Amino acid sequence: MEYSMTHKTGSTSVQNILFRYGDTHGLTIAVPPTEGYLGHPEFKRSLLPKLINPETGQQISYNIITNHMRFNYEEVKALMPFNTKYITLLRNPNQLFESLFHYYNLAKHLNYTSYDNFVTHLETNTTIGKSFKLNLRYNRRLGRNQMSFDLGLNITQFDDMSAIYRFIKKLDDIFDLVLITERMDESLVLLRHELCWTIRDVISFKLNARKQQKSIESINKNIHKILRLNRADHMLYNHFYKVFEKKVQDFGFERMKSELKLLKEETNYLYDECVDQNTLLSDILPKHLYYSPDISRLKPKANSDDICEQLTAIEGFYIDVIRQKQNYLYEKSLRKDK
């Protein structure tokens, strides 16, 4: 199972589903030795330690890879089993870019006073400020056409229509399922059937969500400017939105309606059972140096079940949990390498 995470699409909520499934079923999950980002400028399998069975000394394959990374199909294919499912998540590019801008406080790093101020200065792709004009990216990872960048499109091809079409065709051949943020519940239903899982397996709470939405008026007034800035992302999103709609139609309206009802009931039940709704975890956690402080985190109720701890676990914490559980496999590998 390979899940290519895209920034600011709600991808951490889907990542939590896959972490939880792998953790519960004793599967091996690819996590980097430190931090949580799997490689830049693109993923390479050499970034991950080999897993060695301490009893037999034989190498163990990874079952799941689901971290933020720059997608590199050939490297992932060489790492994962032949029957791996490839899945990713896309979001409306206008809302994604606005969310990205606020979450990482890009106004400060691009020398603008605010998101609105930045948008009012958009005229063409070549006159939008030095950082974007040269396709430089904040922290080498973040900027225009974020989804296309995350999925491997070269920044020199951001305005090359032929290259973008070839890129989309390649992804269409690779990915078994592309989820859509704006239709997340339907996406989770399709995901569960793609993987032959249960309803409970795909329950998801909103993680890393902003406490309040900002600049909606600016988005609506300046859609044409943001579209021009993120043209590759729009082409990518529009293509896979149509693919998604076809999958929903093939699934069947009544069948989907029934599944959505079950999903909602199970999600509401677990949320009531698990979440301390009087306290946001962000109120008691230190703020990240560059992440927005306007992010809500969920706090599990005291003495709750393991599934509640899993459902509310933030990305970095869950990665550490998995890393610690798999340490005995890494340690054997590291001793052998020495």
Side-chain angles (χ1 to χ4, degrees):
M1 167 72 198
E2 192 279 335
Y3 171 55
S4 289
M5 293 183 68
T6 44
H7 284 86
K8 301 315 298 167
T9 58
S11 57
T12 51
S13 295
V14 178
Q15 181 196 55
N16 179 276
I17 290 172
L18 303 180
F19 276 162
R20 195 171 74 242
Y21 187 89
D23 188 17
T24 302
H25 291 82
L27 303 179
T28 55
I29 302 173
V31 293
T34 59
E35 300 183 350
Y37 194 81
L38 275 175
H40 188 87
E42 60 187 2
F43 171 74
K44 286 186 168 62
R45 62 186 184 276
S46 59
L47 296 166
L48 293 167
K50 292 179 181 178
L51 302 183
I52 305 297
N53 186 316
E55 301 297 327
T56 66
Q58 299 297 309
Q59 185 171 340
I60 302 171
S61 295
Y62 285 102
N63 302 120
I64 295 174
I65 181 168
T66 172
N67 276 69
H68 279 300
M69 65 174 174
R70 189 105 187 274
F71 183 60
N72 181 338
Y73 176 61
E74 295 305 323
E75 286 290 306
V76 172
K77 183 180 177 182
L79 176 73
M80 301 298 287
F82 75 93
N83 60 346
T84 293
K85 294 281 187 181
Y86 290 85
I87 292 166
T88 192
L89 175 65
L90 300 180
R91 180 183 182 185
N92 182 295
N94 297 326
Q95 279 128 28
L96 181 147
F97 186 72
E98 186 266 347
S99 178
L100 186 84
F101 209 92
H102 283 296
Y103 188 80
Y104 293 103
N105 197 15
L106 294 185
K108 174 182 176 182
H109 299 284
L110 296 173
N111 297 318
Y112 287 93
T113 58
S114 66
Y115 177 76
D116 291 342
N117 178 247
F118 168 77
V119 171
T120 59
H121 285 82
L122 290 181
E123 294 180 3
T124 71
N125 284 354
T126 56
T127 61
I128 52 180
K130 183 178 179 181
S131 292
F132 281 104
K133 181 174 70 174
L134 300 178
N135 284 329
L136 298 179
R137 309 185 77 75
Y138 169 57
N139 204 23
R140 300 189 303 160
R141 303 170 188 172
L142 307 164
R144 61 184 292 229
N145 291 312
Q146 187 62 50
M147 294 184 294
S148 299
F149 178 82
D150 286 338
L151 293 173
L153 182 64
N154 193 303
I155 60 175
T156 63
Q157 299 176 321
F158 277 178
D159 301 300
D160 182 336
M161 297 300 104
S162 296
I164 296 169
Y165 281 121
R166 292 194 300 272
F167 170 70
I168 293 171
K169 174 63 169 62
K170 180 180 179 181
L171 295 182
D172 205 359
D173 291 338
I174 293 172
F175 283 93
D176 297 282
L177 179 63
V178 176
L179 312 175
I180 300 295
T181 302
E182 291 77 23
R183 299 175 67 172
M184 182 58 80
D185 287 351
E186 292 164 289
S187 293
L188 295 179
V189 169
L190 294 180
L191 177 66
R192 109 167 178 87
H193 283 275
E194 184 71 37
L195 301 176
C196 300
W197 288 359
T198 69
I199 282 284
R200 179 164 284 207
D201 289 332
V202 296
I203 297 299
S204 172
F205 297 161
K206 268 192 177 179
L207 303 172
N208 281 359
R210 266 193 293 162
K211 295 176 187 176
Q212 58 185 4
Q213 201 70 10
K214 298 181 179 180
S215 298
I216 296 301
E217 287 187 12
S218 181
I219 291 176
N220 293 334
K221 288 179 182 177
N222 297 284
I223 281 178
H224 64 288
K225 296 179 181 179
I226 304 171
L227 185 152
R228 189 166 57 235
L229 179 68
N230 296 293
R231 192 183 305 276
D233 269 8
H234 276 273
M235 293 170 64
L236 177 74
Y237 179 82
N238 290 341
H239 172 83
F240 281 107
Y241 193 93
K242 292 176 183 176
V243 172
F244 180 86
E245 283 199 317
K246 179 66 165 56
K247 285 184 179 288
V248 171
Q249 289 175 9
D250 291 344
F251 190 83
F253 175 77
E254 290 300 328
R255 185 183 177 203
M256 179 61 76
K257 182 179 177 181
S258 175
E259 293 262 346
L260 291 175
K261 182 174 181 291
L262 288 174
L263 181 64
K264 182 177 180 179
E265 290 173 351
E266 188 71 6
T267 302
N268 289 342
Y269 170 76
L270 284 174
Y271 195 90
D272 289 341
E273 287 289 308
C274 291
V275 177
D276 179 350
Q277 299 183 45
N278 297 315
T279 307
L280 290 175
L281 195 56
S282 53
D283 295 335
I284 58 176
L285 284 177
K287 303 296 188 294
H288 192 286
L289 290 177
Y290 62 86
Y291 289 165
S292 167
D294 298 319
I295 303 302
S296 64
R297 312 283 192 190
L298 302 177
K299 183 176 185 292
K301 289 180 178 178
N303 303 316
S304 55
D305 294 339
D306 287 346
I307 189 173
C308 296
E309 296 286 343
Q310 293 172 327
L311 278 163
T312 57
I314 58 177
E315 178 183 4
F317 173 78
Y318 216 150
I319 290 173
D320 285 340
V321 168
I322 291 165
R323 190 182 287 124
Q324 290 167 14
K325 286 186 175 183
Q326 294 181 169
N327 260 348
Y328 73 101
L329 302 175
Y330 298 149
E331 288 168 3
K332 178 76 175 180
S333 173
L334 293 173
R335 286 198 300 271
K336 185 177 180 182
D337 289 343
K338 291 179 181 178

